[in-house]
Amino acid sequence: MTTIGNNIQGVLDRIARACAACGRDPSSVRLIAVSKTFDAGAVREAVRAGQRAFGENYLQEGVQKIAALQAVEAAGPLEWHCIGPVQSNKTRLVAEHFDWVHTVDRLKTAERLSQQRPPHRPPLEVCIQVNVDGGPTKAGVTPAQALELARDVALLPRLRLRGLMGIPDPAPDFAAQYAVHAQARSLFNQLRAAGLEGMDDFDTLSLGMTADLEAAIHAGSTLVRVGSGVFGGRSYPLSPPPLTDSV
């Protein structure tokens, strides 16, 4: 097994142990392997190890990998998650190429995704990004704004509102990590209990990364986004790859 394959197994073992510790079924938590800055060859190694869902932050880079990896989809389609910021004038890349987008925090962005989603593709799976802990460097709506945005997004055609996503600021220990993720879970429960039209599939909490996935799982996360834990440390470019779109 390759190093990436070993890493994936290690992350799956962590997920299983965390689920056992809080009485959850490991199948209730899915791993999204965050492949940003790693090339298509690294993703192929992960696919050979059984991984099928990948997260990308840089849209143009992600689209290039999606195209490069179409040939490995004979065993079933790969699933591509946009987990980076989506500017309104870059929505076409997401709408045309990705299966999920976790970072919707404005109605304008959601409307453009809805308008630009090709009719031959299934609805785009959408999570609303919430800045639960008020981190000054983090995107996302405030908890107070989440209900109104969810109500509007849920009614848009060609989108399927699935849940909430959060990226809290780093916390020093398990208890502090859990406390923030638990706030996201509480908000998720509030929105689901509201019974809004178009929210029949509202079942997803995208919380937790390499450093805090255990706390996120204890709080109820259903998708954990793990990059360095799968692919190793990454070297960032001096500036993100250029984002292009033809509107």
Side-chain angles (χ1 to χ4, degrees), residues 100-101 104 113 124-128 153 159-163:
W100 284 69
V101 55
V104 170
L113 290 169
L124 182 64
E125 313 284 2
V126 171
C127 290
I128 290 173
V153 172
L159 303 183
R160 181 182 291 124
L161 181 59
R162 295 297 301 271

Side-chain angles (χ1 to χ4, degrees), residues 8-228:
I8 289 172
Q9 188 57 56
V11 173
L12 294 176
D13 289 344
R14 288 177 63 187
I15 291 171
R17 288 194 297 270
C19 286
C22 62
R24 295 182 60 187
D25 185 335
S27 67
S28 68
V29 181
R30 296 179 59 214
L31 168 62
I32 308 301
V34 179
S35 43
K36 66 177 181 180
T37 77
F38 290 94
D39 62 20
V43 178
R44 286 192 187 93
E45 286 190 38
V47 172
R48 285 194 290 269
Q51 180 65 25
R52 308 300 295 179
F54 297 91
E56 288 287 332
N57 291 63
Y58 304 139
L59 300 186
Q60 187 64 47
E61 176 191 321
V63 169
Q64 291 168 354
K65 275 183 267 191
I66 291 170
L69 288 155
Q70 285 179 344
V72 305
E73 295 196 355
L78 302 182
E79 189 175 275
W80 294 94
H81 294 242
C82 171
I83 60 172
V86 182
Q87 299 174 2
S88 292
N89 64 339
K90 311 299 180 186
T91 52
R92 189 176 298 276
L93 287 174
V94 177
E96 292 185 348
H97 298 281
F98 286 82
D99 303 296
W100 284 69
V101 55
H102 293 222
T103 51
V104 170
D105 61 2
R106 290 185 297 165
L107 180 58
K108 179 182 177 182
T109 300
E111 289 173 336
R112 290 175 64 89
L113 290 169
S114 174
Q115 294 162 1
Q116 296 168 345
R117 184 66 168 176
H120 68 276
R121 297 208 61 186
L124 182 64
E125 313 284 2
V126 171
C127 290
I128 290 173
Q129 183 173 358
V130 182
N131 187 355
V132 176
D133 61 341
T137 65
K138 303 297 183 181
V141 298
T142 66
Q145 297 168 326
L147 180 61
E148 180 179 359
L149 182 58
R151 180 185 295 115
D152 293 336
V153 172
L155 296 177
L156 292 173
R158 311 298 304 149
L159 303 183
R160 181 182 291 124
L161 181 59
R162 295 297 301 271
L164 301 180
M165 180 263 215
I167 312 176
D169 283 337
D173 53 37
F174 179 93
Q177 294 167 356
Y178 174 82
V180 176
H181 290 314
Q183 292 179 50
R185 177 56 188 259
S186 178
L187 179 62
F188 171 84
N189 288 341
Q190 292 174 37
L191 267 60
R192 189 160 61 173
L196 299 178
E197 182 181 353
M199 289 180 58
D200 296 338
D201 299 312
F202 196 77
D203 59 3
T204 299
L205 262 176
S206 174
L207 301 171
M209 298 183 286
T210 300
D212 64 346
L213 70 85
E214 285 85 1
I217 289 170
H218 277 251
S221 178
T222 64
L223 294 178
V224 292
R225 311 176 308 270
V226 178
S228 60

